[in-house]
Amino acid sequence: MSLKLSAWFLILLQIHLSSASDSDPLHDFCIPRSEFSSIFLSCKNSSLVTAEDFVFSGIRTPKDYSKTGFSSIPVSSSVFPGLNTLGMSFVRADFESGGINVPHYHPRATEIAFVLEGTIYSGFVDSKNRVFAKVLEKGEVMVFPKGLLHFQMNIGNSRATILGSFNSENPGLVKIPSAVFGSDIKEEVLVKAFGLNGKELAKLRKKVSSY
Amino acid sequence: MSLKLSAWFLILLQIHLSSASDSDPLHDFCIPRSEFSSIFLSCKNSSLVTAEDFVFSGIRTPKDYSKTGFSSIPVSSSVFPGLNTLGMSFVRADFESGGINVPHYHPRATEIAFVLEGTIYSGFVDSKNRVFAKVLEKGEVMVFPKGLLHFQMNIGNSRATILGSFNSENPGLVKIPSAVFGSDIKEEVLVKAFGLNGKELAKLRKKVSSY
Amino acid sequence: MSLKLSAWFLILLQIHLSSASDSDPLHDFCIPRSEFSSIFLSCKNSSLVTAEDFVFSGIRTPKDYSKTGFSSIPVSSSVFPGLNTLGMSFVRADFESGGINVPHYHPRATEIAFVLEGTIYSGFVDSKNRVFAKVLEKGEVMVFPKGLLHFQMNIGNSRATILGSFNSENPGLVKIPSAVFGSDIKEEVLVKAFGLNGKELAKLRKKVSSY
Amino acid sequence: MSLKLSAWFLILLQIHLSSASDSDPLHDFCIPRSEFSSIFLSCKNSSLVTAEDFVFSGIRTPKDYSKTGFSSIPVSSSVFPGLNTLGMSFVRADFESGGINVPHYHPRATEIAFVLEGTIYSGFVDSKNRVFAKVLEKGEVMVFPKGLLHFQMNIGNSRATILGSFNSENPGLVKIPSAVFGSDIKEEVLVKAFGLNGKELAKLRKKVSSY
Amino acid sequence: MSLKLSAWFLILLQIHLSSASDSDPLHDFCIPRSEFSSIFLSCKNSSLVTAEDFVFSGIRTPKDYSKTGFSSIPVSSSVFPGLNTLGMSFVRADFESGGINVPHYHPRATEIAFVLEGTIYSGFVDSKNRVFAKVLEKGEVMVFPKGLLHFQMNIGNSRATILGSFNSENPGLVKIPSAVFGSDIKEEVLVKAFGLNGKELAKLRKKVSSY
Amino acid sequence: MSLKLSAWFLILLQIHLSSASDSDPLHDFCIPRSEFSSIFLSCKNSSLVTAEDFVFSGIRTPKDYSKTGFSSIPVSSSVFPGLNTLGMSFVRADFESGGINVPHYHPRATEIAFVLEGTIYSGFVDSKNRVFAKVLEKGEVMVFPKGLLHFQMNIGNSRATILGSFNSENPGLVKIPSAVFGSDIKEEVLVKAFGLNGKELAKLRKKVSSY
């Protein structure tokens, strides 16, 4: 009997939220109960909700930089539960001099990027393969339309920082180098798609996976 | 004949855009033709669109401060046409020491507010009249759920700046003091609603309208 | 063992629904199971659903009147579960002669108000602080755009009744007097926002809270 | 020259609005310019908008009754332009004693029906062909889920009136008898679909078309 | 104790999913856990998801034909869980020579129908009762606008097949003959709505129910 | 005068539609007027609409094959105006033996792909870079979640055909090889993002652009 009950608990704890979507909310807010957020969608009783639930303090400083001189802290509703059902999220992105944010896209959101510090070469590619790119100075803002491929590079001599915001609580992120050459897409598909031979592809895969 | 034609032009020039809504876009982007944006909804031929259309440089410095020590630059799609159909907009808000952003709400959007500089007392009121407020330091973020009343005050000794972003290209703004006491709502309604006498109301209206 | 199980039940019973949003439904209907509606989102087996689930009889007579001569019965999906996922709700509002519905707004819906009985002065304020108000007679209808501040007053000699409907199953309600002066917004914010001194504010707060 | 210009005007006047959809509005409101509403989607300059634009007075009395003892006044945004972009509309329906509102559905909206007067037998059919029907008395409310087939009959001895509201500014209306037997659906399709012979079908078509 | 626990399990197993709606998804995908899909909305841990979850093999051959010479396999998210939250579903429809798909509609989706094989007379009725119908050959495509009544008949000498796709994971299906004459709508309503006498109605009901 | 008028016409003819979005339609349908579709959003008078407006016959045979042995005919609302406002579109894709549909994504839609003929290796990459791929036989269906990168290869010995449908009237298409290596993204960004040297990049760009 006790075993059965424990099993029930264990099963529940493995379930992950399906959740709703970025439409109009149905409540003022819905702070997920932390002990159940991995089990099913449920809001804390509003009397237990406090101002802290709506404040996020984790992007005051950058994290470690990657090999490409880039560091980012994406803040979706899984990290900042106060965003749940509210249709927005954000990201802090830091660049060492020469650092890049590789070509990527967000499958579920438009992004507005503010330059907090530094000089950033920033651009996106539309679905006709036209590039719209420009050097942004501190205080300038660029918009990346929903789902389009975009990239950034710090072309200044000191560190640079961007603050991005999204119109989805979970915009998603697909980084082209790792999604294409760091994943298990069948070799033959990539060889044909990019006009590479097997050796060239292997080299590319190795480089990308070493990041 | 010429008169008729001119009339036609004049009439057209007075028409204002009805426009769509904050749903998924149907195109990569749609930069309104500047010469017609006040006439009807139409996109520039994409070959005429440039990177500049997606960059906004008008919030690098604050505007003049109001009597309440506050200055804001809202950037919706009417100011930054690159946002058209993309479902997002933003605002820069500056506060003198002690300056306040009066209780207000955005009828069509959630807001994410980042503290760029300073120390801000910031909060919102839910629909049960509970206040969720907190002091935010530089680098902290607070979310104001869609349509809820919120406010901010610079409680530091120097100027403070907030960057807000919205999940609507035109979130709207209703400032409570001016919407209630600065508008032409019938005196009797306000007298009864706020338990004031006519003299008290007149004083309140005068103060609010002097801002 | 038994304790553990009871704890599990108790925890579940405190959870409140996060829920979906006012988009297209995915089913013909979804009547929440009454025994679990406070636990998680689940529909009654449709074979247990009856016509009664789609009928509401609780607005045939008004409730008690408030000090402002007003009585309202809001009917959202929490009161009338048949509305769940269907994107609509409604309200009955009654006014004594001279009674008012204080300036308020619904953060998540447009409202259509039908005058069932009486003569009502009714209006809303747009985001440029312009008032659109008019005297409505029995049988007339007024629309209050989504999220805008509106108000009503019975200017006839007998009781009046309005039937409102909303395009959200939970439109929300923010009453300005109580949200602003009946809540715990920091005194300093209100003093500055409305140009009041502390004494005047205290008086206003006292009056509003006595309602 | 003058001919060319006139042609241009004539062409424009034949164009009908494509329009947007029932999502969140992008403006407080958008009253279509009456002189152009048949040409293209454009809002009146808001300074020309008045309170009258948001009030509708055309449902104070019923229209003529049909052969089935029924009269309805649907009020969508084409009749009441103030509803434009606001995602709601409504209808007044009157029934003589024994009068019926034939089985029909609204392809784009849920409906909430309030009984203003009388006793109405009212119901809907779900997609498993189950009927949910009930006698409604004055002051009761029934909800008809989006797109489902529903019907009403006045089973009282005096006239009855219903007020319906919809969560679309143009819900649409498909009346089954006329859509199926009053339209030009190929005879063979109907003969097979309803198990009729040609003569029976002809009789049915004749009856329905005589309404 | 054990009884109580079992009861708890039994109750849970009867609950049916309320679920979300066809808006933008919040995750890449959400494969419901098969053991809980009937209990509450929850996604499989993505590490347990495989390619098989996104592939459906059940429409390679038609099912049995009905009396009207028609066979259909609707594939919504309840049959193919990989569609969950993705806003699409599909159907395979087969017709014997002369077979018909009776007048019906989908309350929650537009349909695109591709003719895979054969010659199909296909059409829909708009809300003004106008019929738009045409003979489609193999390889042709017809669109049926959201919620409108449509029908099809194989007018060729051999079997025909159509592939339909929908912009909802659960479009719903209302077949007019069975919803109107095969359901329990009160006799009096149908008699009046279709101008039938009781005997004619009884005959029609009998025929439809024999399908 | 005449010149001015002509100028007006010319300007109008260059304007491109901004358009709405994939929400619920507001009308049964809206067939754009062909003479104005490039000017502004307007529907044909419905009396001029015919069944032909809802039928598309252009995918009965494949187009020419590309160097990668692939041919596709995307059918969005710009090609098939009957889809306007209806939230769906489709594509026919043909593969020579060994032909590939290069890694690509649709920024605005989920896709359902039916194998009409042949044996197709088909897969997608989620935002954690996991590949979900499988060999599909004739009659099988695979779903590609909104915005995720996917690809296909004909691994059979004869030609293969896929029919795709989308839940947007204009899903968009971003082909990774040409968007990344066939566009004008700054060399330095690509060199760093993919760990290439300038020579390797130049080679890759040349290959991709030769397609």
Side-chain angles (χ1 to χ4, degrees):
Chain A
M1 174 58 212
S2 164
L3 284 176
K4 222 171 161 187
L5 188 68
S6 303
W8 171 247
F9 268 83
L10 286 174
I11 288 167
L12 280 176
L13 292 166
Q14 288 169 49
I15 304 176
H16 288 75
L17 253 193
S18 154
S19 109
S21 58
D22 285 315
S23 313
D24 256 18
L26 277 192
H27 300 278
D28 287 353
F29 47 78
C30 167
I31 306 300
R33 286 177 65 91
S34 50
E35 60 277 49
F36 289 106
S37 68
S38 60
I39 308 183
F40 44 65
L41 195 57
S42 67
C43 314
K44 264 192 201 175
N45 186 313
S46 71
S47 66
L48 301 174
V49 174
T50 67
E52 274 70 24
D53 285 308
F54 302 101
V55 175
F56 187 81
S57 306
I59 59 165
R60 303 180 72 171
T61 50
K63 284 201 184 160
D64 289 345
Y65 288 85
S66 71
K67 280 199 177 174
T68 61
F70 179 68
S71 158
S72 77
I73 310 176
V75 185
S76 69
S77 55
S78 59
V79 173
F80 177 16
L83 298 176
N84 190 34
T85 76
L86 297 180
M88 295 197 77
S89 58
F90 53 96
V91 64
R92 174 184 176 138
D94 290 87
F95 301 76
E96 291 182 314
S97 179
I100 62 161
N101 189 357
V102 302
H104 66 282
Y105 68 94
H106 307 285
R108 293 180 291 275
T110 289
E111 178 176 3
I112 286 181
F114 308 82
V115 180
L116 291 186
E117 204 58 59
T119 305
I120 301 273
Y121 174 75
S122 177
F124 71 88
V125 189
D126 75 3
S127 59
K128 290 171 184 164
N129 302 328
R130 236 188 108 198
V131 175
F132 296 84
K134 201 166 176 296
V135 174
L136 305 179
E137 303 291 342
K138 179 177 176 172
E140 290 192 309
V141 184
M142 187 164 190
V143 60
F144 303 118
K146 191 169 185 172
L148 297 192
L149 212 142
H150 54 283
F151 53 84
Q152 288 142 342
M153 180 168 55
N154 179 356
I155 59 170
N157 294 318
S158 49
R159 290 193 169 172
T161 305
I162 276 180
L163 211 49
S165 50
F166 304 98
N167 60 351
S168 166
E169 68 172 79
N170 186 14
L173 169 60
V174 177
K175 295 190 174 197
I176 298 303
S178 44
V180 175
F181 298 110
S183 70
D184 288 330
I185 298 180
K186 214 188 184 87
E187 181 175 324
E188 203 177 343
V189 171
L190 295 181
V191 160
K192 288 185 177 173
F194 293 91
L196 299 165
N197 59 40
K199 202 174 153 189
E200 288 167 332
L201 176 61
K203 198 175 159 193
L204 208 47
R205 283 187 151 175
K206 200 174 160 191
K207 280 175 181 166
V208 165
S209 64
S210 75
Y211 285 177
Chain B
M1 174 60 211
S2 165
L3 283 177
K4 221 173 163 186
L5 188 66
S6 303
W8 170 247
F9 268 84
L10 286 174
I11 288 167
L12 280 176
L13 291 167
Q14 286 170 51
I15 304 176
H16 287 75
L17 251 193
S18 154
S19 106
S21 59
D22 284 316
S23 313
D24 257 17
L26 276 193
H27 300 279
D28 287 353
F29 48 76
C30 167
I31 306 300
R33 287 177 65 90
S34 49
E35 60 278 50
F36 289 106
S37 69
S38 59
I39 309 183
F40 44 65
L41 194 57
S42 67
C43 313
K44 266 193 201 174
N45 186 314
S46 71
S47 66
L48 301 174
V49 174
T50 68
E52 275 70 23
D53 286 307
F54 301 100
V55 174
F56 187 79
S57 307
I59 59 165
R60 303 180 72 172
T61 50
K63 284 200 184 160
D64 290 345
Y65 288 85
S66 72
K67 280 198 177 176
T68 61
F70 179 67
S71 157
S72 78
I73 310 176
V75 185
S76 69
S77 55
S78 58
V79 172
F80 177 16
L83 299 176
N84 190 34
T85 77
L86 296 180
M88 296 196 76
S89 57
F90 53 96
V91 64
R92 175 185 175 138
D94 291 87
F95 301 75
E96 291 182 313
S97 179
I100 63 160
N101 189 357
V102 303
H104 67 282
Y105 68 94
H106 307 285
R108 293 180 289 275
T110 289
E111 177 176 3
I112 286 181
F114 308 83
V115 179
L116 291 187
E117 204 58 60
T119 305
I120 301 273
Y121 174 75
S122 175
F124 70 89
V125 189
D126 76 2
S127 58
K128 291 171 182 164
N129 302 328
R130 239 190 105 199
V131 175
F132 296 84
K134 202 167 177 293
V135 174
L136 305 180
E137 304 291 342
K138 178 177 175 171
E140 290 192 309
V141 183
M142 187 165 191
V143 60
F144 303 118
K146 190 169 185 172
L148 297 191
L149 212 142
H150 55 281
F151 53 84
Q152 288 142 342
M153 180 169 55
N154 179 357
I155 59 170
N157 295 318
S158 49
R159 290 193 168 172
T161 305
I162 276 181
L163 211 49
S165 50
F166 305 97
N167 60 349
S168 166
E169 67 172 78
N170 186 14
L173 169 60
V174 177
K175 295 189 173 197
I176 299 303
S178 44
V180 175
F181 299 110
S183 71
D184 289 330
I185 298 180
K186 215 189 181 86
E187 180 174 325
E188 203 177 343
V189 171
L190 296 180
V191 160
K192 289 184 175 174
F194 293 91
L196 299 165
N197 58 40
K199 203 174 154 189
E200 288 167 333
L201 175 61
K203 198 175 157 193
L204 207 48
R205 283 187 150 173
K206 200 174 160 192
K207 279 176 182 166
V208 164
S209 63
S210 75
Y211 284 176
Chain C
M1 174 59 214
S2 164
L3 284 177
K4 221 173 161 186
L5 187 67
S6 304
W8 171 245
F9 267 84
L10 286 174
I11 287 167
L12 279 177
L13 291 166
Q14 287 170 50
I15 304 177
H16 288 76
L17 253 193
S18 153
S19 107
S21 58
D22 284 315
S23 313
D24 256 17
L26 276 192
H27 301 279
D28 287 353
F29 48 76
C30 167
I31 306 300
R33 286 176 67 90
S34 50
E35 60 277 49
F36 288 107
S37 69
S38 60
I39 307 183
F40 45 64
L41 194 58
S42 67
C43 313
K44 265 194 201 173
N45 187 314
S46 71
S47 67
L48 301 174
V49 173
T50 68
E52 275 71 23
D53 286 307
F54 302 101
V55 175
F56 187 80
S57 307
I59 60 166
R60 302 180 73 172
T61 50
K63 285 201 183 159
D64 290 346
Y65 288 85
S66 71
K67 281 199 176 174
T68 61
F70 179 68
S71 157
S72 78
I73 310 176
V75 186
S76 69
S77 55
S78 58
V79 173
F80 178 15
L83 299 176
N84 191 34
T85 76
L86 297 181
M88 296 197 76
S89 58
F90 53 96
V91 65
R92 175 186 174 135
D94 290 86
F95 301 75
E96 291 182 313
S97 179
I100 63 160
N101 189 357
V102 303
H104 67 280
Y105 68 94
H106 307 285
R108 292 179 291 274
T110 288
E111 178 176 2
I112 285 180
F114 307 84
V115 180
L116 291 187
E117 204 57 62
T119 305
I120 301 272
Y121 174 75
S122 176
F124 70 88
V125 189
D126 76 3
S127 60
K128 291 172 182 163
N129 301 328
R130 237 190 107 197
V131 175
F132 296 84
K134 202 167 175 296
V135 174
L136 305 180
E137 303 291 343
K138 178 177 174 171
E140 290 192 308
V141 183
M142 186 164 190
V143 60
F144 303 118
K146 189 169 187 173
L148 297 192
L149 212 143
H150 55 282
F151 53 84
Q152 288 143 341
M153 182 168 55
N154 179 356
I155 59 169
N157 295 318
S158 49
R159 289 194 169 171
T161 305
I162 277 181
L163 211 49
S165 49
F166 304 99
N167 60 350
S168 166
E169 68 172 77
N170 187 14
L173 169 60
V174 177
K175 295 188 174 196
I176 299 303
S178 44
V180 175
F181 298 111
S183 71
D184 288 331
I185 298 181
K186 214 189 183 88
E187 181 176 324
E188 202 177 344
V189 170
L190 295 180
V191 161
K192 288 185 176 173
F194 293 90
L196 299 165
N197 59 40
K199 204 176 153 187
E200 289 167 331
L201 175 61
K203 199 175 159 193
L204 207 48
R205 284 187 149 174
K206 201 175 158 189
K207 280 175 182 166
V208 165
S209 64
S210 76
Y211 286 177
Chain D
M1 175 61 212
S2 166
L3 284 177
K4 220 171 164 188
L5 188 67
S6 304
W8 171 247
F9 268 83
L10 286 174
I11 288 167
L12 279 176
L13 291 166
Q14 287 169 54
I15 303 177
H16 288 76
L17 251 193
S18 153
S19 105
S21 59
D22 284 316
S23 314
D24 256 17
L26 277 192
H27 300 278
D28 287 353
F29 48 77
C30 166
I31 307 300
R33 286 177 66 91
S34 49
E35 61 277 48
F36 288 107
S37 69
S38 60
I39 309 183
F40 43 65
L41 193 58
S42 67
C43 313
K44 265 194 202 174
N45 187 315
S46 72
S47 66
L48 302 175
V49 174
T50 68
E52 274 70 22
D53 286 308
F54 302 100
V55 175
F56 187 80
S57 306
I59 60 165
R60 303 179 74 171
T61 50
K63 285 201 186 159
D64 290 346
Y65 288 86
S66 72
K67 281 199 177 174
T68 61
F70 179 67
S71 156
S72 78
I73 310 177
V75 186
S76 69
S77 55
S78 59
V79 172
F80 178 16
L83 299 176
N84 190 35
T85 76
L86 297 180
M88 296 196 77
S89 58
F90 53 97
V91 64
R92 174 186 175 136
D94 290 87
F95 301 75
E96 291 182 314
S97 178
I100 63 160
N101 188 358
V102 303
H104 67 280
Y105 68 94
H106 307 285
R108 294 180 290 274
T110 287
E111 177 175 4
I112 285 180
F114 308 83
V115 180
L116 291 186
E117 204 57 60
T119 305
I120 301 272
Y121 175 74
S122 175
F124 71 89
V125 189
D126 77 1
S127 58
K128 291 171 183 163
N129 302 328
R130 238 190 105 199
V131 175
F132 296 84
K134 203 168 177 293
V135 174
L136 305 179
E137 303 291 341
K138 177 177 176 172
E140 290 192 309
V141 183
M142 187 166 190
V143 60
F144 303 118
K146 190 168 186 172
L148 296 192
L149 212 141
H150 54 284
F151 53 84
Q152 288 142 341
M153 180 169 55
N154 179 356
I155 60 169
N157 295 318
S158 49
R159 289 194 169 172
T161 305
I162 277 181
L163 211 50
S165 50
F166 304 98
N167 60 350
S168 166
E169 68 172 77
N170 186 15
L173 169 60
V174 177
K175 295 189 173 196
I176 298 303
S178 44
V180 175
F181 298 111
S183 70
D184 289 330
I185 297 180
K186 214 189 184 86
E187 180 175 324
E188 202 177 345
V189 171
L190 296 180
V191 160
K192 289 185 176 175
F194 293 91
L196 299 165
N197 58 41
K199 203 174 153 190
E200 289 167 331
L201 176 61
K203 198 173 160 195
L204 207 47
R205 284 189 151 173
K206 199 173 161 192
K207 281 176 182 166
V208 164
S209 64
S210 75
Y211 284 176
Chain E
M1 176 59 216
S2 166
L3 284 175
K4 222 173 161 184
L5 188 67
S6 302
W8 170 246
F9 267 84
L10 286 174
I11 287 167
L12 280 176
L13 291 166
Q14 287 169 50
I15 303 176
H16 288 76
L17 253 193
S18 153
S19 107
S21 59
D22 284 316
S23 314
D24 257 16
L26 276 192
H27 300 278
D28 287 352
F29 47 78
C30 167
I31 306 300
R33 284 177 66 90
S34 49
E35 61 277 47
F36 288 106
S37 68
S38 61
I39 307 182
F40 43 65
L41 194 58
S42 67
C43 313
K44 265 193 201 174
N45 186 313
S46 71
S47 66
L48 301 174
V49 174
T50 68
E52 275 70 24
D53 286 308
F54 302 102
V55 175
F56 187 79
S57 307
I59 60 165
R60 302 180 73 171
T61 50
K63 284 201 185 159
D64 290 345
Y65 288 86
S66 71
K67 281 199 178 176
T68 61
F70 179 67
S71 158
S72 78
I73 310 175
V75 186
S76 69
S77 55
S78 59
V79 172
F80 177 16
L83 299 176
N84 190 34
T85 76
L86 296 181
M88 296 196 78
S89 59
F90 54 96
V91 64
R92 174 185 176 136
D94 290 87
F95 302 75
E96 291 182 313
S97 179
I100 63 160
N101 189 358
V102 303
H104 66 281
Y105 68 94
H106 307 285
R108 294 180 289 275
T110 288
E111 177 175 2
I112 285 180
F114 308 82
V115 180
L116 290 187
E117 204 56 60
T119 305
I120 301 273
Y121 174 74
S122 176
F124 71 89
V125 189
D126 76 3
S127 58
K128 291 172 183 162
N129 302 328
R130 237 189 107 198
V131 175
F132 296 84
K134 202 168 177 293
V135 175
L136 305 180
E137 303 292 342
K138 178 176 175 172
E140 290 192 308
V141 184
M142 187 165 191
V143 60
F144 303 118
K146 190 170 186 172
L148 297 191
L149 213 142
H150 55 283
F151 53 85
Q152 287 142 342
M153 181 169 55
N154 179 356
I155 59 169
N157 295 320
S158 49
R159 289 194 168 172
T161 305
I162 276 181
L163 211 50
S165 50
F166 304 98
N167 59 351
S168 166
E169 68 172 76
N170 186 15
L173 168 61
V174 177
K175 294 189 175 197
I176 298 304
S178 45
V180 174
F181 298 110
S183 70
D184 288 331
I185 298 180
K186 215 190 182 87
E187 181 176 324
E188 203 177 342
V189 171
L190 296 181
V191 160
K192 289 185 176 174
F194 293 92
L196 299 165
N197 58 41
K199 203 175 153 188
E200 288 167 331
L201 175 61
K203 199 174 159 194
L204 207 46
R205 282 187 152 175
K206 201 174 159 192
K207 280 176 183 165
V208 165
S209 64
S210 75
Y211 286 176
Chain F
M1 176 59 214
S2 165
L3 284 178
K4 220 172 161 187
L5 187 68
S6 304
W8 170 248
F9 267 83
L10 286 174
I11 287 167
L12 278 177
L13 291 167
Q14 286 170 51
I15 303 177
H16 289 76
L17 252 194
S18 153
S19 107
S21 58
D22 284 316
S23 313
D24 257 17
L26 276 192
H27 300 278
D28 287 352
F29 47 77
C30 167
I31 307 300
R33 286 176 64 90
S34 50
E35 60 277 50
F36 288 106
S37 69
S38 60
I39 307 183
F40 44 65
L41 195 57
S42 67
C43 313
K44 265 194 202 173
N45 186 315
S46 71
S47 66
L48 302 175
V49 173
T50 68
E52 274 70 23
D53 286 308
F54 302 101
V55 174
F56 187 80
S57 307
I59 60 165
R60 303 179 74 170
T61 50
K63 285 201 185 159
D64 290 345
Y65 288 86
S66 71
K67 281 199 177 176
T68 61
F70 180 68
S71 157
S72 79
I73 310 177
V75 185
S76 69
S77 55
S78 58
V79 173
F80 178 15
L83 299 175
N84 190 34
T85 76
L86 296 180
M88 295 197 77
S89 57
F90 53 97
V91 65
R92 174 185 175 137
D94 291 87
F95 301 76
E96 292 182 313
S97 178
I100 64 161
N101 188 358
V102 302
H104 67 281
Y105 68 95
H106 307 285
R108 292 180 290 274
T110 288
E111 177 175 3
I112 285 182
F114 308 83
V115 179
L116 292 187
E117 204 57 62
T119 305
I120 301 272
Y121 175 75
S122 175
F124 71 88
V125 190
D126 76 2
S127 58
K128 290 171 183 164
N129 302 327
R130 238 190 105 197
V131 175
F132 297 85
K134 203 168 176 294
V135 174
L136 306 179
E137 302 292 342
K138 177 176 175 173
E140 290 192 309
V141 184
M142 187 166 191
V143 60
F144 303 118
K146 190 170 185 172
L148 296 192
L149 212 142
H150 55 282
F151 52 86
Q152 287 142 342
M153 180 167 58
N154 179 357
I155 60 169
N157 294 318
S158 48
R159 290 194 168 171
T161 305
I162 278 181
L163 211 50
S165 49
F166 304 98
N167 60 350
S168 166
E169 68 172 76
N170 186 14
L173 169 60
V174 178
K175 296 189 172 196
I176 299 303
S178 44
V180 175
F181 299 110
S183 70
D184 288 331
I185 298 180
K186 215 191 182 85
E187 180 176 326
E188 202 176 345
V189 171
L190 295 180
V191 160
K192 288 184 176 174
F194 293 91
L196 299 166
N197 58 41
K199 203 175 154 189
E200 289 167 331
L201 175 61
K203 200 173 158 192
L204 208 47
R205 285 188 149 173
K206 201 174 158 190
K207 280 174 182 166
V208 165
S209 63
S210 76
Y211 284 177

